[in-house]
């Protein structure tokens, strides 16, 4: 027969375990494995006529990307608006369940800009997901608003793309905030930074740290 002491210990261990398990299952990264990530897995897309240092810095683990509405596009003949974006070109995927995690920061004043995308979709679309900032709100494309107040605060972002289920999920600070259908496409990758959209402010900036790419365990 167990002593009272042993009983108390085992019930403590049990509640600790269930507490940890609950914590894990609430975490969007639960059930995913982290893939290697360093500068070999991404590069920067920036105005074609400027050196990268004029629109990107990486200091103390923080990627800072900025662009002006009057800047050139990423290549001479591109009809697209200006951008300074991290493109995670080392992980192109066409199947499976993939996840992007990072801490993001958007300074007050930055508006009319895409700060994160799941690239790749069936034409006429180019992306499966765009997270944009308009007047301080973080939105799914132009709408709806996902969080109303995004300026001047670090937030944890987790984006999960289930290719076969054709589904994307957006978590802010660990909480599922938005779900949307996929938009087809045969090759996808993650991007973050600033990519000017409609009604863009003159100066656009976003910062990112702790970028991780994860894939669901089979
Ligand atoms: C990045 O990680 C890969 C895989 O772990 C490794 O082979 C490569 O040398 C690393 N590159 C840099 C620049 O650290
Ligand atoms: C990923 O796709 C892009 C084009 O979308 C291409 O430039 C890049 O080389 C591809 N990366 C790998 C590792 O295949
Ligand atoms: C953002 O604010 C400006 C100025 O108040 C306004 O003209 C514009 O319509 C707003 N944009 C959105 C998407 O709410």
């Amino acid at each position: 027969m167990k002593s009272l002491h042993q009983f108390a210990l085992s019930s403590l261990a049990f509640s600790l375990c269930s507490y940890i398990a609950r914590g894990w299952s609430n975490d969007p990264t639960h059930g995913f494995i982290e893939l290697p990530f360093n500068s070999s897995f991404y590069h920067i897309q920036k105005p074609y006529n400027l050196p990268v240092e004029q629109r990107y810095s990486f200091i103390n683990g923080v990627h800072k990307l900025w662009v002006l509405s009057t800047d050139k596009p990423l290549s001479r003949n591109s009809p697209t608006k200006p951008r300074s974006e991290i493109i995670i070109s080392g992980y192109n995927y066409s199947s499976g369940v993939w996840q992007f995690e990072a801490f993001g920061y958007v300074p007050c004043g930055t508006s009319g800009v895409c700060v994160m995308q799941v690239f790749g979709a069936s034409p006429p679309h180019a992306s499966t997901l765009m997270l944009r900032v308009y007047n301080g709100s973080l939105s799914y494309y132009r709408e709806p608003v996902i969080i109303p107040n995004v300026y001047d605060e670090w937030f944890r972002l987790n984006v999960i793309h289930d290719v076969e289920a054709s589904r994307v999920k957006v978590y802010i600070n660990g909480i599922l905030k938005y779900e949307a259908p996929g938009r087809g496409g045969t090759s996808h990758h993650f991007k973050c930074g600033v990519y000017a959209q409609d009604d863009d402010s003159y100066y656009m900036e976003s910062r990112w740290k702790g970028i991780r790419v994860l894939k669901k365990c089979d």
Side-chain angles (χ1 to χ4, degrees), residues 105-110 151-152 203:
Y105 181 100
V106 181
C108 182
T110 287
Y151 284 154
D152 294 339
Y203 178 81

Side-chain angles (χ1 to χ4, degrees), residues 13-33:
F14 175 78
S15 49
L16 205 62
C17 277
S18 61
Y19 174 76
I20 291 168
R22 241 192 348 266
W24 280 347
S25 58
N26 278 344
D27 192 306
T29 64
H30 176 67
F32 284 73
I33 50 160

Side-chain angles (χ1 to χ4, degrees), residues 93 95-98 160-169 182 216:
Y93 60 90
S95 63
V97 186
W98 289 75
I160 297 177
H161 182 200
D162 184 333
V163 178
E164 281 77 23
S166 189
R167 205 90 199 134
V168 282
K169 291 183 183 178
K216 191 157 196 163

